Amino acid sequence: MAEAVSEPRSLPLLAAARRAHEAAFGGAAVLAAWAPARVNLIGEHTDYNGGFVLPMALQLGTVLVGSPAQDGTISILTTSAEADEPHRVQFPAPRQGSPLSPGQPRWANYVKGVIQHYRDDGDLAAKALACQKAEHTFAGMPCGIMDQFISVMGKEGHALLIDCRSLETVLVPLTDANLAVLITNSNVRHTLTGSEYPTRRRQCEEAAAALGKASLRDATMAELEASRSRLGEEVYQRARHVIGEIARTVQAAQALQDRDYKTFGRLMVESHNSLRDDYEVSCPELDELVAAALEVDGVYGSRMTGGGFGGCTVTLLEAGAAERAQHHIKEKYSGTATFYLTKPSGGAKVLPL
């Protein structure tokens, strides 16, 4: 049974989840866990190209409570603040020769996939890879490794530089009290996203193959320019974003390490412009939000974050400018934005009951 929660120690929400469990299943939950949401500071659409990403875990997340079933049936109940009532699904537990498979309702497929692929393993990378496999095989999303890695490996007060090829990680301190991260939700989600993500991935693979590389991680901008006429303009643009974004992410991690927030902010803006123009995954609402944020004194940089076509922007700014930025963005944005001012949180953990 899952419930949105603002912090892992948010006892009222954990208590509400336990009450819902007891009402639905007739007994007390015996275990509880929490996993954070995440935001990617820079490094978009690079993970499935073997590049670098720089996410951080959030103080928002999901609580899950549960208890063992005795009849060989798995029951999942999910609730959220947006839902009028809980959603529930039941299915047989996987057995030898009878594995789980995706089906209806679609919202349960990722959970099914994790149940099918996950094994009790203390290795965090293995845990993340099992969850990625669930995304690929059950949810039908050919995602990279970023979401899963930051969810299990996030550390309070740090961003995480992830090498998506070697799976090596480096913690990057983000503890400056004068710094803030503002997430702005556009509250729009355009329906193109389901087909556009796999299309972009295929285009990147096509570009890498044309350049004779295993992935675009191995390609240079000079090699791309030399092959431009053979690629076609759209595939060329997709590759130009990825190759440039990989370099920007490495530079940004170093800038954050050096507390060079002006350079970090400039790289964020370059990232957004590339996502808008070369990768073509932004949208007017995200562009509005970024433009409005950049008009505020004390803002270092802003960019769309996530897959694109809606969702959120992330803005790095002076802590003292946060209230001013929210007011200005709200005034300038043609839609209705919601804001979340955050600090880096820790990764997934078991909660005591």
Side-chain angles (χ1 to χ4, degrees), residues 333-347:
Y333 182 46
S334 59
T336 303
T338 53
F339 302 94
Y340 183 61
L341 200 62
T342 184
K343 297 179 180 180
S345 175

Side-chain angles (χ1 to χ4, degrees), residues 321-336:
E323 186 175 344
R324 184 167 67 248
Q326 292 174 66
H327 179 74
H328 183 75
I329 293 168
K330 193 177 293 185
E331 279 192 336
K332 285 297 190 86
Y333 182 46
S334 59
T336 303

Side-chain angles (χ1 to χ4, degrees), residues 2-286:
E3 178 75 40
V5 62
S6 59
E7 288 191 350
R9 300 180 183 88
S10 183
L11 297 180
L13 285 174
L14 177 58
R18 295 175 71 178
R19 288 194 299 270
H21 179 283
E22 188 160 0
F25 303 117
V30 299
L31 56 85
W34 177 82
R38 59 92 188 146
V39 67
N40 192 24
L41 297 173
I42 193 168
E44 219 65 70
H45 292 280
T46 54
D47 55 349
Y48 54 83
N49 286 289
F52 292 89
V53 292
L54 187 65
M56 71 181 212
L58 302 182
Q59 294 162 305
L60 288 173
T62 296
V63 159
L64 182 143
V65 300
S67 56
Q70 306 301 324
D71 61 359
T73 297
I74 295 172
S75 298
I76 303 170
L77 179 75
T78 181
T79 69
S80 70
E82 293 78 22
D84 294 330
E85 58 185 41
H87 299 283
R88 184 170 179 173
V89 65
Q90 291 182 304
F91 49 88
R95 302 186 306 276
Q96 185 71 29
S98 182
L100 295 178
S101 59
Q104 296 294 330
R106 292 182 62 187
W107 64 262
N109 282 335
Y110 175 67
V111 181
K112 283 185 179 180
V114 173
I115 293 169
Q116 179 62 43
H117 295 306
Y118 178 70
R119 299 294 177 267
D120 188 10
D121 189 331
D123 180 74
L124 295 180
K127 182 185 295 187
L129 289 167
C131 293
Q132 182 197 33
K133 189 174 182 180
E135 288 260 26
H136 289 187
T137 59
F138 277 69
M141 179 59 70
C143 62
I145 194 60
M146 178 184 68
D147 288 351
Q148 295 81 8
F149 261 53
I150 188 59
S151 181
V152 300
M153 297 182 184
K155 183 176 180 181
E156 188 173 353
H158 292 76
L160 186 69
L161 180 66
I162 305 170
D163 183 333
C164 298
R165 180 170 65 183
S166 69
L167 303 185
E168 294 175 343
T169 60
V170 177
L171 288 165
V172 182
L174 187 52
T175 56
D176 190 332
N178 297 316
L179 198 67
V181 175
L182 177 66
I183 299 169
T184 305
N185 190 345
S186 69
N187 288 309
V188 298
R189 174 61 65 187
H190 295 291
T191 55
L192 316 176
T193 52
S195 61
E196 293 291 337
Y197 183 99
T199 298
R200 295 299 186 282
R201 185 162 186 160
R202 287 195 299 271
Q203 289 170 329
C204 292
E205 292 167 352
E206 180 183 336
L211 294 170
K213 308 293 184 182
S215 74
L216 288 176
R217 164 72 176 274
D218 299 313
T220 66
M221 203 64 80
E223 290 169 332
L224 177 64
E225 293 296 334
S227 302
R228 182 171 184 170
S229 61
R230 296 190 291 110
L231 291 175
E233 189 61 19
E234 192 171 78
V235 171
Y236 162 78
Q237 289 178 324
R238 306 299 188 249
R240 182 168 62 180
H241 164 72
V242 171
I243 295 169
E245 187 80 347
I246 290 171
R248 279 188 291 271
T249 304
V250 175
Q251 295 167 28
Q254 186 61 54
L256 197 60
Q257 183 81 43
D258 297 339
R259 297 195 172 199
D260 182 358
Y261 305 134
K262 288 185 178 179
T263 295
F264 191 95
R266 173 180 58 79
L267 292 165
M268 291 177 79
V269 175
E270 291 177 4
S271 170
H272 180 80
N273 293 343
S274 179
L275 287 159
R276 180 192 65 203
D277 300 334
D278 276 348
Y279 223 63
E280 296 185 282
V281 292
S282 188
C283 63
E285 294 89 349
L286 293 175

Side-chain angles (χ1 to χ4, degrees), residues 282-295:
S282 188
C283 63
E285 294 89 349
L286 293 175
D287 296 341
E288 277 185 29
L289 292 174
V290 168
L294 294 176
E295 292 172 349

